[in-house]
Each structure stands twice: as C-alpha cells, then as structure tokens.
Amino acid sequence: CPTSRGSRPRNRAPRACRGPPTDPARQAADYVDGLLETLQMAARGALPKGYRQTSIAEERYPKWLELKVVQGIEYRGPKYRVIVYRLVNTAGHKYTLREQEFLTGVQKAIALNREVVESGEEVVVYLLDDAPPEPPKPKPEPKVDPDAKS
C-alpha cells in the first residue's frame, strides 16, 4: 500500500493495508455475522492471531450415550472461545444429531459438520461461547540469596 504524508504517522500503514483483524467478531458489522465468521474460521483451522489453541484433556470430555469424543480442542480468543469436538458414532446404527443436544445455556452458537452420522463415522461439533476469564498467573517466588546479610 502506498503511504502518504498526511496526518498518519509514517510507520503506520493505512487500515486497509494492515492485514486481517485480530478478532472477526469485533470487526463484523453485525453480531450474528461475527459469530458465524468466527465459527467458519475455526472450521478452517485458521483463527486469527488473538486466539490460542490448546488440547482438551480426555478427562474433561463430555459424555454422550452413543457418541465418543476422539479429540477436543479449545480456541480461546479475546472475546470468545470455540470448543471443537470430534465425535465418533459407537452405536450399531445411524444417529441423527441436533444442535440442541449440545446446548448447556452458555453457548452463543453451535454448528455441526453433519447431522446424520452412520455407525463408525465421525462428526465435528463447534461450540462458541464467551471466553471465560483467564486464571490468575501464580506470582513468582522471591529469590532469596542465602549468603546475603540483612
């Protein structure tokens, strides 16, 4: 992008030239569009810089009767969190899913990559909610020099 000698500082590119926004939900013109864009980016595995990806420990996996969690990933951003579960149908028959099955009351949006899952097939579930507050970081222990005199 070209730079001009207007009122903008020399080291700062025009807004349109600075690259993608850090959080699509904050940049969207509409609340629902922002949620949808965040889910779509998670499905592509391409959330912006402001999001941190961590694996969910197996002991934290939710339990479903005929679906088994094979992978859980959390994407935590400045405003929202996206939890992605890969599930496999362990029943001997096809299983029909509805978003309501995953609703616990905190989700802002829920998406499935398919609704009908044959026996042995996988489905991916995306749950978007408000990012919970970060736990406080432990304060470092003060370093004490045993040879120092008080």
Side-chain angles (χ1 to χ4, degrees):
C1 281
T3 57
S4 65
R5 295 186 183 240
S7 61
R8 184 181 339 106
R10 287 180 183 235
N11 62 350
R12 195 158 185 197
R15 183 151 195 63
C17 301
R18 287 188 224 149
T22 57
D23 190 350
R26 290 185 179 180
Q27 300 299 318
D30 178 76
Y31 171 75
V32 174
D33 288 344
L35 297 178
L36 182 61
E37 179 65 20
T38 302
L39 283 175
Q40 289 173 339
M41 290 180 83
R44 291 189 304 263
L47 282 163
K49 293 177 188 175
Y51 282 76
R52 215 175 54 246
Q53 176 184 333
T54 56
S55 294
I56 297 173
E58 195 170 328
E59 58 269 7
R60 288 186 44 220
Y61 288 171
K63 305 288 186 246
W64 285 284
L65 291 176
E66 298 175 338
L67 300 171
K68 179 183 179 202
V69 180
V70 292
Q71 183 184 33
I73 298 173
E74 176 183 277
Y75 298 97
R76 184 186 290 253
K79 184 171 176 117
Y80 297 116
R81 171 179 67 172
V82 180
I83 297 175
V84 181
Y85 290 115
R86 249 184 49 222
L87 310 171
V88 65
N89 179 357
T90 57
H93 53 84
K94 73 179 175 185
Y95 191 84
T96 303
L97 295 166
R98 295 183 336 269
E99 285 90 354
Q100 292 86 345
E101 293 180 56
F102 304 97
L103 185 63
T104 63
V106 298
Q107 290 81 17
K108 304 272 186 210
I110 299 172
L112 310 168
N113 72 334
R114 64 171 63 196
E115 292 181 357
V116 178
V117 188
E118 295 293 334
S119 180
E121 286 186 339
E122 289 188 356
V123 60
V124 183
V125 179
Y126 301 89
L127 309 170
L128 185 144
D129 61 13
D130 287 324
E134 292 281 345
K137 293 181 181 177
K139 293 182 181 178
E141 292 291 324
K143 295 181 180 176
V144 178
D145 183 2
D147 296 331
K149 296 180 181 178
S150 354

